Amino acid sequence: MSSLHKKTKENDMLAALLERPAEVQRAAGYADTLREILQQPATWEGTFQLTHASAAQSLLTRALDPRPAHIVLTGSGSSIYIGECLAPLLQASLGLPVQAIAAGTLLTHWRSVLPPGPGLLISLARSGDSPESAAVVNTVLAEAPAWRHLVITCNAEGKLATQYRDEPRVSALVLDERTNDRSLVMTSSFTNLLLGGLGLLRDAMTAEAIEKAAANAQGIFDTHADAIAALARRDMHSAVYLGSGAAFGAAREGALKMLEMTGGKVVTMAETFLGLRHGPMSFVHPHTMVVAVLSADPAVRRYECDLLRELSRKQLGMAKLIVGDEIPADVLSMGDVAITTSASASNPDVPPLLAGVVAGQLLAFFRCLQLGGKPDTPSEGVLTRVVEDFALHGATP
């Protein structure tokens, strides 16, 4: 981030926004969002250190001992997309069945969707104050006592972090306060909660992977921000976000960021690469941006690149923003933007996944500004930073 404080040819747009006085940034409605996007590389290092400290490792080890039969990741809004990113990564490393189930679904249908225990329910939350968050934990504690709970949150004062201090079946990992984003939209909260969940994989999640991820993100800020801003200035009416495996959660998050920050002015959809061929390809029009996060697995990437070539051959979409390792030149058309990431030997999936999330954040941020919106408070009067209280019908108090 420090390199952006000096305006250069490579990062005019971000540097110019940062150079404005703080009161001007606040009046324009982007001060929190931009700061929180740009702080991610530094905060990732902090979250890695936190999760690898002895106290956190003891907590995370206890969460998996005794070994659960199932792991369920839950959350609301962006938080469930974190779970969708984590589930395949945790399952592959832990050798346990892992799935993501939205908190709202658990609240209304826990009897039919929660697997038989004993299990571990991991609640992911920025604030920990959404109405369904504590209601789900309360319900599962009362109705499925064989399940233990791990809370990962950015807010030390939230209900999830404070309400269960005397409950031995609930443990809480609280991330650094800087990750508790002040903007309505989650940016650094999303990526740091993701890394907090990966703290369960101490041996698989290494300093080398974090360093590569941080370098990739900083590279986007330093050398690709203007190109992303140029895409955002085009006549974009819709956007489709593509990802496979863990990156499908990143695609879902990218689609939500664009929808939130533009107040629904840009209609979005998330799909898998192979799923796009079945019906959803009809969504891709001349004013549709295509955002693709490629897999680190060469075999999977071949399928993904075949789909991108098909889009080019059929002349579908206005432009593509592609993020990943080893992007073939023939998947790119004039006007497309390619962000090549550096791979990690210890965990190849994580750096491109995080880079895809960051690129999607910037695209939505710049599109919001282009449409005259305020990224810190988009959809004023419709959305709030924490979902307003609503009636809980039949939930355990």
Side-chain angles (χ1 to χ4, degrees), residues 11-369:
N11 49 56
D12 282 356
M13 188 68 175
L14 287 179
L17 290 171
L18 284 170
E19 285 176 352
R20 293 178 178 175
E23 61 272 17
V24 174
Q25 295 186 33
R26 296 217 166 271
Y30 69 79
D32 288 333
T33 307
L34 183 58
R35 183 189 71 253
E36 288 157 1
I37 290 173
L38 296 178
Q39 75 178 5
Q40 288 176 106
T43 56
W44 294 348
E45 298 279 357
T47 295
F48 176 78
Q49 295 298 329
L50 172 68
T51 58
H52 282 64
S54 58
Q57 275 301 305
S58 177
L59 182 151
L60 295 171
T61 298
R62 289 198 309 272
L64 295 173
D65 185 20
R67 186 176 172 85
H70 302 273
I71 295 178
V72 169
L73 298 138
T74 193
S76 300
S78 288
S79 294
I80 192 56
Y81 304 149
I82 301 168
E84 291 177 353
C85 291
L86 283 170
L89 300 175
L90 294 180
Q91 181 164 298
S93 293
L94 296 174
L96 292 168
V98 183
Q99 64 188 114
I101 305 176
T105 301
L106 281 174
L107 183 64
T108 57
H109 292 80
W110 72 268
R111 289 180 178 84
S112 57
V113 299
L114 188 69
L120 174 66
L121 181 67
I122 303 177
S123 296
L124 302 158
R126 171 173 60 174
S127 71
D129 284 327
S130 295
E132 60 266 52
S133 297
V136 165
V137 175
N138 290 340
T139 298
V140 176
L141 281 170
E143 304 292 342
W147 281 75
R148 289 173 290 117
H149 300 257
L150 172 63
V151 170
I152 305 177
T153 180
C154 303
N155 183 15
E157 304 303 321
K159 292 178 183 177
L160 283 182
T162 61
Q163 192 164 302
Y164 306 101
R165 286 172 177 163
D166 297 325
E167 172 52 70
R169 288 174 291 168
V170 182
S171 301
L173 176 65
V174 179
L175 305 185
D176 189 290
E177 175 61 22
R178 289 181 301 165
T179 70
N180 187 13
D181 291 341
R182 300 300 187 262
S183 173
L184 183 144
V185 298
M186 287 173 60
T187 54
S188 73
S189 294
F190 184 95
T191 53
N192 279 282
L193 285 166
L194 173 58
L195 292 176
L198 288 173
L200 289 162
L201 310 178
R202 179 170 185 171
D203 294 335
M205 199 63 227
T206 65
E208 182 253 359
I210 293 296
E211 288 168 4
K212 287 288 177 65
N216 288 335
Q218 193 61 54
I220 292 173
F221 302 148
D222 290 344
T223 62
H224 295 286
D226 276 0
I228 294 173
L231 289 179
R233 288 193 293 270
R234 298 184 62 172
D235 190 18
M236 183 197 318
H237 298 175
S238 58
V240 60
Y241 292 77
L242 302 173
S244 305
F248 181 60
R252 296 248 281 168
E253 169 64 4
L256 178 62
K257 285 287 92 68
M258 180 65 77
L259 195 68
E260 285 180 322
M261 282 207 236
T262 64
K265 292 183 177 69
V266 177
V267 180
T268 64
M269 180 180 70
E271 250 302 348
T272 63
F273 285 82
L274 294 182
L276 189 72
R277 286 196 177 97
H278 302 270
M281 192 176 282
S282 61
F283 180 85
V284 187
H285 291 283
H287 295 281
T288 302
M289 186 69 61
V290 177
V291 182
V293 183
L294 298 181
S295 172
D297 183 332
V300 176
R301 195 162 59 243
R302 284 194 285 272
Y303 284 106
E304 296 170 342
C305 290
D306 285 347
L307 184 280
L308 295 176
R309 294 183 186 101
E310 182 177 341
L311 292 177
S312 295
R313 186 174 70 251
K314 293 179 176 178
Q315 298 183 327
L316 293 175
M318 64 186 302
K320 297 189 287 290
L321 172 59
I322 305 174
V323 181
D325 300 340
E326 300 179 17
I327 302 173
D330 67 345
V331 305
L332 298 167
S333 302
M334 186 175 296
D336 292 347
V337 173
I339 299 175
T340 302
T341 58
S342 299
S344 162
S346 58
N347 200 319
D349 296 300
V350 173
L353 188 156
L354 289 173
V357 172
V358 169
Q361 292 169 354
L362 278 182
L363 182 66
F365 174 81
F366 286 131
R367 186 59 180 162
C368 178
L369 293 178

